[in-house]
Amino acid sequence: MDKFTCVQDIGDLKTAVAEAMEIKRDRFQFTGLGRNKTLLMLFFNSSLRTRLSTQKAAMNLGMNVMVLDVNQGAWKLETERGVVMDGDKAEHLLEAIPVMGSYCDVIGVRSFARFNDKAEDYEERVLEQFIRYSGRPVFSMEAATRHPLQSFADLITIEEYKSVERPKVVMTWAPHPNALPQAVPNSFAEWMNAADYDFVITHPEGYELDPKFVGTARVEYDQRKALEGADFVYAKNWAAYADPNYGKVLSRDRAWTVDAEKMALTNNAYFMHCLPVRRNMIVTDEVIESPRSLVIPEAANREISAQVVLKRLLEGLE
Amino acid sequence: MDKFTCVQDIGDLKTAVAEAMEIKRDRFQFTGLGRNKTLLMLFFNSSLRTRLSTQKAAMNLGMNVMVLDVNQGAWKLETERGVVMDGDKAEHLLEAIPVMGSYCDVIGVRSFARFNDKAEDYEERVLEQFIRYSGRPVFSMEAATRHPLQSFADLITIEEYKSVERPKVVMTWAPHPNALPQAVPNSFAEWMNAADYDFVITHPEGYELDPKFVGTARVEYDQRKALEGADFVYAKNWAAYADPNYGKVLSRDRAWTVDAEKMALTNNAYFMHCLPVRRNMIVTDEVIESPRSLVIPEAANREISAQVVLKRLLEGLE
Amino acid sequence: MDKFTCVQDIGDLKTAVAEAMEIKRDRFQFTGLGRNKTLLMLFFNSSLRTRLSTQKAAMNLGMNVMVLDVNQGAWKLETERGVVMDGDKAEHLLEAIPVMGSYCDVIGVRSFARFNDKAEDYEERVLEQFIRYSGRPVFSMEAATRHPLQSFADLITIEEYKSVERPKVVMTWAPHPNALPQAVPNSFAEWMNAADYDFVITHPEGYELDPKFVGTARVEYDQRKALEGADFVYAKNWAAYADPNYGKVLSRDRAWTVDAEKMALTNNAYFMHCLPVRRNMIVTDEVIESPRSLVIPEAANREISAQVVLKRLLEGLE
């Protein structure tokens, strides 16, 4: 494997999950693999879970880790050719990226959608430039349109807890005060479709996701109807994708909050969320604290998904 | 040992000091103990000595270290249940803390008194929540009411330099431009009492510490009288504890500054301070630069106290 | 070697370059040398290349690394004796520096010229204080007047690419929107003179460097004439050194930009720059992207120059 940005990069999902379980049994069995190998983690956006879990995964493999926080405002990279760089951009990406690549063996990049320019976001310009110019294997630590380490951890969690071969998984929009990117729901949809679960998406009108990510999922605008018989409920907020409302908050309607009454419609479903979560907006205290809440083991699996990805990238060197 | 927040946690002090001396003889003799173990250092307040000395101690033991700086303003954790989280708090501690615990083996937390709410400070709400919810051994890297790694280093230093079994140790208040927490003086008092030294506290009226920490110490409002015959002088500023002046600066009187004339009243005492120190407020240049000043070896012992604590926490894992 | 701040510290250059080549053949052959040794990297100014390359070099040698970012504004050190420290300076360097020294084995310091006080800059007060008070080997990660790790990497690069024993090397001033320190050009001049190349400096009038650094170099005010027959063109901006214009921008004249037409005057010269570079101010896109541009391998050699220096400092410990 020489990059990890989407579900296609990980290949067969059953094999990937089996590898995750193998690592979970003893996460220190491959410490030789990372010997004298250096991971550079580059954050254009701040991070808690991704930073800690990915760093931990790299150390489990015996890697050295360097972390670079790039204040998006402070370190402005020029991306165009022909520009006279007499303004506030101190460096061109055509120099910055290969130089960073020269000091490490693997690069992880976090760069969110900015909601300024839909094309820039959905073409993944920042991530793609690292893939093209760094000379190193690159993996996404959440990009503009996908968060594959999160989705892989979600998949591992569902595989650990499911009691039927093909569970019903419902991803439901829920309210949030701010405008959030579509990376998590896009990516979750992509992975659920690839896993061939019985997958349903429910959201208010106007919150339709990019059809490329919705794929074969069923979309159901009636949240209660969607939740009927669900084995897993995956809650998430996102801002509108469809024009002309791209990046806008259209609703903060708490009628969409996941509560115990709605969970009662399901097949005693597990509750999932990628965290951080706004309690009593996305989900009630009661549901997130219930024995069917998987949010903590789901977050713990971020270390495992990162370790599978790093292990494969290391195996792909030479 | 499964936590370290106060003198009681370290147990018998003679044993603890002997262990410190053993480590000081060869600080790399236990590098196997930390193999594949990860320390998470979490700073709600900035740090120089604590950060470097604790990280060094962990590396001496062969641990991996992750450092997370939490800007107290930027990362606001909700602590109450039932709140609709539609404001500026992005995460609930009931999710944040166990997730951080899932990525490490030991957690160090620094969280100062904020002087907004005396009960919140003196109940150590932040530290206690980590102990309760992280699922990992937690140690204090200075909390609201105590700084036990500093006090342990102070004890080691006194034991190294004392020439009588039961030295006279005088902790004196001294002036400072700003309002400082009581963590260092509280904690020093607690450790000196536990060590059963001849321990005296001197300060202006209005600067009385919490009686829980003063314990069996003698309080003497006349600084000169207190200093007579002292073997160790421990200078420190703190803001008022007693209501209604909690967290206030009542005096900046430089008549309390430790100078050579006052040191002449002592039994050729050593001078100590936890650093950073305001020269010519707390202590004159002459005293801090004298051959009896222990401030540098005292700071160097921070690495040793941290290593004893980490070693014991590691030994306590399973 | 017990410090590294200038070309004299590295000794014979042929030996140093040979050692660099040896390391480049296998950068992991000395991993035992750094075992249980800790590098403290202290940044008073921000850094990308220097941080990553030096950290990588230290890890190649098996060292532990601690990084401390010191916001120049936030952490103000008092440097004078006798001052009553009741203002915004929280600590005196006479305490801060030896304490930092006590937690590590080697210290790297980055501290730029501030252009407030020429004497303060050119006496290297910050760096010299670390050398004097830390008790540890200190190396410069760019100081007020020199950037020796960069110059050493430049030398290695020239030695790798030169086709004649004594190449003609031309350092040319080029325009930039901001006032930049003289550390890079001073240092480059010092190293080129020591290497005994045919070395020419060209710049507009008013941009004369300190004669101590110019040394035996020829200064030519006509850029085109200077470039004739050059084997290497080293472009760099700097602010004025000579009084009364110290630290000022006297020109942003793009007639000094290095372009293809000027490169055609050379002996098919290689183009070099320390990065970050302002394209189409310092150099055109065409020249920096040409096959004769060495900016990426030059930056990659920063890891090598740092590793030679760290290796020698480690060898010098007892």
Side-chain angles (χ1 to χ4, degrees), chain B:
Chain B
M1 197 162 80
D2 65 354
K3 72 179 175 75
F4 178 71
T5 67
C6 61
V7 71
Q8 285 76 29
D9 291 331
I10 201 78
D12 179 64
L13 292 186
K14 285 195 191 315
T15 308
V17 170
E19 199 167 333
M21 294 306 153
E22 177 67 18
I23 283 171
K24 210 162 176 174
R25 267 186 290 279
D26 175 8
R27 52 197 82 190
F28 302 108
Q29 59 189 302
F30 303 106
T31 52
L33 198 59
R35 191 169 174 277
N36 291 336
K37 300 298 180 192
T38 297
L39 167 63
L40 172 60
M41 296 168 65
L42 194 64
F43 291 96
F44 289 94
N45 302 90
S46 63
S47 169
L48 188 155
R49 262 158 290 273
T50 297
R51 169 187 298 249
L52 296 180
S53 61
T54 308
Q55 187 170 352
K56 179 64 158 62
M59 297 188 307
N60 290 349
L61 291 163
M63 298 186 83
N64 294 320
V65 180
M66 301 195 292
V67 179
L68 198 66
D69 286 297
V70 180
N71 183 314
Q72 210 162 20
W75 190 48
K76 292 186 176 159
L77 288 181
E78 180 57 59
T79 58
E80 302 299 314
R81 297 181 72 256
V83 173
V84 176
M85 291 174 60
D86 58 358
D88 61 347
K89 294 183 178 171
E91 184 149 25
H92 200 286
L93 70 89
L94 288 171
E95 279 78 56
I97 295 178
V99 168
M100 286 188 281
S102 78
Y103 301 140
C104 65
D105 300 283
V106 177
I107 301 183
V109 178
R110 161 164 284 205
S111 177
F112 292 174
R114 302 184 195 188
F115 288 152
N116 294 329
D117 177 339
K118 189 172 181 170
E120 183 182 310
D121 290 345
Y122 270 70
E123 290 168 11
E124 292 285 10
R125 285 194 199 152
V126 175
L127 186 64
E128 288 300 323
Q129 287 164 345
F130 275 87
I131 292 169
R132 185 159 173 196
Y133 297 116
S134 71
R136 301 296 176 192
V138 170
F139 66 99
S140 163
M141 302 194 299
E142 187 170 347
T145 64
R146 291 180 182 90
H147 192 357
L149 286 174
Q150 179 64 53
S151 305
F152 186 13
D154 296 335
L155 176 71
I156 294 166
T157 308
I158 293 172
E159 287 292 304
E160 284 181 300
Y161 285 87
K162 77 179 187 185
S163 55
V164 294
E165 180 59 24
R166 191 168 180 270
K168 179 174 177 183
V169 177
V170 179
M171 177 168 76
T172 179
W173 182 94
H176 192 284
N178 306 324
L180 301 188
Q182 295 101 24
V184 168
N186 283 345
S187 197
F188 187 71
E190 190 173 68
W191 285 68
M192 294 301 101
N193 286 328
D196 193 31
Y197 295 148
D198 179 13
F199 180 53
V200 178
I201 305 174
T202 182
H203 55 70
E205 296 211 24
Y207 277 104
E208 291 74 16
L209 293 166
D210 182 349
K212 176 174 73 172
F213 293 105
V214 175
T216 57
R218 280 177 292 144
V219 177
E220 169 56 67
Y221 291 91
D222 181 335
Q223 189 189 34
R224 284 165 201 279
K225 195 165 163 198
L227 292 171
E228 280 170 18
D231 297 298
F232 294 87
V233 175
Y234 192 91
K236 185 74 188 79
N237 175 270
W238 60 89
Y241 167 76
D243 294 320
N245 292 321
Y246 179 67
K248 292 216 172 78
V249 174
L250 305 180
S251 165
R252 293 189 180 86
D253 184 0
R254 285 167 54 204
W256 281 81
T257 302
V258 178
D259 61 17
E261 181 261 327
K262 287 179 193 164
M263 291 299 284
L265 302 172
T266 69
N267 180 28
N268 194 24
Y270 288 105
F271 176 81
M272 300 179 71
H273 188 278
C274 63
L275 305 183
V277 66
R278 299 284 185 135
R279 285 179 172 222
N280 304 306
M281 291 289 288
I282 301 287
V283 58
T284 61
D285 291 315
E286 187 181 3
V287 170
I288 202 171
E289 295 180 7
S290 81
R292 305 300 280 182
S293 171
L294 297 180
V295 296
I296 305 302
E298 182 186 357
N301 276 333
R302 293 289 310 276
E303 178 181 335
I304 306 302
S305 67
Q307 193 170 340
V308 172
V309 167
L310 285 168
K311 175 173 173 283
R312 290 191 177 190
L313 293 175
L314 287 171
E315 289 166 346
L317 296 174
E318 282 133 306

Side-chain angles (χ1 to χ4, degrees), chain A residues 231 263 267-272 287 289-295:
Chain A
D231 296 298
M263 290 300 284
N267 180 29
N268 193 23
Y270 289 105
F271 176 81
M272 299 178 72
V287 170
E289 295 179 6
S290 80
R292 304 300 280 181
S293 171
L294 297 180
V295 295

Side-chain angles (χ1 to χ4, degrees), chain C residues 144-164:
Chain C
T145 64
R146 290 180 182 91
H147 192 357
L149 286 174
Q150 178 65 52
S151 306
F152 186 15
D154 296 336
L155 176 71
I156 295 166
T157 308
I158 293 172
E159 287 293 306
E160 284 181 301
Y161 286 87
K162 77 179 186 185
S163 55
V164 294

Side-chain angles (χ1 to χ4, degrees), chain C residues 115 179 182 207 238-241 244-251:
Chain C
F115 288 152
Q182 294 101 26
Y207 277 103
W238 60 88
Y241 167 76
N245 292 320
Y246 179 65
K248 293 216 171 75
V249 175
L250 305 180
S251 164

Side-chain angles (χ1 to χ4, degrees), chain C residues 257-307:
Chain C
T257 301
V258 178
D259 61 17
E261 181 261 328
K262 287 178 194 164
M263 290 300 283
L265 302 170
T266 69
N267 181 28
N268 193 23
Y270 288 104
F271 175 81
M272 299 179 72
H273 188 279
C274 64
L275 304 182
V277 65
R278 300 284 186 133
R279 285 179 172 223
N280 303 307
M281 290 289 287
I282 301 288
V283 56
T284 60
D285 290 316
E286 186 181 5
V287 170
I288 201 171
E289 295 179 7
S290 81
R292 304 299 281 181
S293 170
L294 297 180
V295 296
I296 304 302
E298 183 185 357
N301 276 333
R302 293 289 310 276
E303 178 181 335
I304 306 303
S305 66
Q307 193 170 340

Side-chain angles (χ1 to χ4, degrees), chain A residues 70-243:
Chain A
V70 180
N71 182 314
Q72 209 162 18
W75 190 49
K76 291 185 177 160
L77 287 181
E78 180 58 59
T79 58
E80 302 300 314
R81 296 181 74 256
V83 173
V84 177
M85 291 174 61
D86 58 358
D88 62 347
K89 294 183 179 170
E91 184 149 24
H92 200 287
L93 71 88
L94 288 171
E95 279 78 56
I97 294 178
V99 168
M100 287 189 280
S102 78
Y103 301 141
C104 65
D105 300 283
V106 176
I107 301 182
V109 178
R110 162 165 284 206
S111 177
F112 291 174
R114 303 184 194 188
F115 287 151
N116 294 329
D117 176 339
K118 188 173 182 169
E120 183 181 310
D121 291 344
Y122 270 71
E123 290 167 11
E124 292 285 9
R125 286 192 199 155
V126 175
L127 184 66
E128 288 300 323
Q129 286 164 345
F130 275 87
I131 292 170
R132 185 159 172 195
Y133 297 116
S134 72
R136 300 297 175 192
V138 170
F139 66 97
S140 163
M141 302 194 298
E142 186 171 348
T145 64
R146 292 180 181 90
H147 192 357
L149 286 174
Q150 179 63 52
S151 306
F152 185 14
D154 297 336
L155 175 72
I156 294 166
T157 309
I158 293 172
E159 286 293 306
E160 284 181 300
Y161 285 88
K162 76 179 187 185
S163 55
V164 294
E165 180 58 25
R166 192 168 180 269
K168 178 174 178 182
V169 177
V170 179
M171 177 168 76
T172 179
W173 182 93
H176 193 283
N178 306 324
L180 302 188
Q182 294 102 26
V184 168
N186 283 346
S187 197
F188 187 72
E190 190 172 68
W191 286 69
M192 293 301 100
N193 285 329
D196 194 31
Y197 295 148
D198 179 12
F199 181 52
V200 178
I201 304 174
T202 181
H203 55 71
E205 296 211 23
Y207 277 102
E208 291 74 15
L209 293 166
D210 182 350
K212 176 174 73 171
F213 292 104
V214 174
T216 57
R218 280 176 293 143
V219 177
E220 169 56 66
Y221 292 91
D222 181 334
Q223 188 190 35
R224 286 167 199 278
K225 195 164 164 199
L227 291 172
E228 280 170 17
D231 296 298
F232 293 86
V233 174
Y234 192 91
K236 185 74 188 80
N237 175 270
W238 61 88
Y241 167 76
D243 293 320

